Amino acid sequence: MTHWHEVFGGKLEILNYRDTPLEDIGFEPDPDAVAHATLTLPQGVIAGGDSMDSENDYPIRGTAYSLLYTTETPEEAEQFIEKLRSGGSIGMPFQKAPWGDWYGQVFDRFGVMWAFSCEA
């Protein structure tokens, strides 16, 4: 979440388990683990937390999971894509799409696919 905050700006709030009441929670989390985080942007809210399931790996890349971010200008989208591709890769170049608007995809360093669109 801190990485995405660095990329997009907005307001980031992070609540660690050490800062929450743990009575009757049903498990014993790492006190430094994130219980809940929100990144509030003009376009919406991204929320998440740390996984408590240490026995499973939840891969993202190679799935249909993605986030769509719509920008006001193509230049704004290109700036976000450039920041996200550090440690990641381009999935689809950001360019005019067959339907006339701008569209492209980038995988960030965590394997999350970000799709960017902008009206032409």
Side-chain angles (χ1 to χ4, degrees), residues 48-62:
D50 286 333
S51 171
M52 295 293 111
D53 186 355
S54 61
E55 295 181 22
N56 292 302
D57 182 24
Y58 295 103
I60 296 174
R61 189 170 180 121

Side-chain angles (χ1 to χ4, degrees), residues 10 12 23 31 59 64 67 80 85 90-92 94 106-107 113:
L12 177 62
E23 306 87 44
L67 298 170
F80 289 138
R85 76 180 285 191
I90 297 296
M92 178 183 292
F94 187 74
V106 61
F107 289 91
M113 185 183 86

Side-chain angles (χ1 to χ4, degrees), residues 27-111:
F27 60 96
E28 190 130 351
D30 177 340
D32 293 326
V34 175
H36 186 69
T38 57
L39 177 58
T40 305
L41 305 167
Q43 293 81 357
V45 176
I46 301 171
D50 286 333
S51 171
M52 295 293 111
D53 186 355
S54 61
E55 295 181 22
N56 292 302
D57 182 24
Y58 295 103
I60 296 174
R61 189 170 180 121
T63 69
Y65 179 82
S66 67
L67 298 170
L68 174 64
Y69 196 101
T70 303
T71 62
E72 295 291 322
T73 67
E75 294 78 19
E76 183 183 16
E78 289 169 344
Q79 290 171 359
F80 289 138
I81 290 168
E82 201 51 42
K83 290 178 184 177
L84 287 168
R85 76 180 285 191
S86 177
S89 63
I90 297 296
M92 178 183 292
F94 187 74
Q95 57 193 15
K96 281 274 198 134
W99 56 89
D101 292 337
W102 291 84
Y103 182 82
Q105 301 169 348
V106 61
F107 289 91
D108 70 16
R109 66 183 182 199
F110 304 107

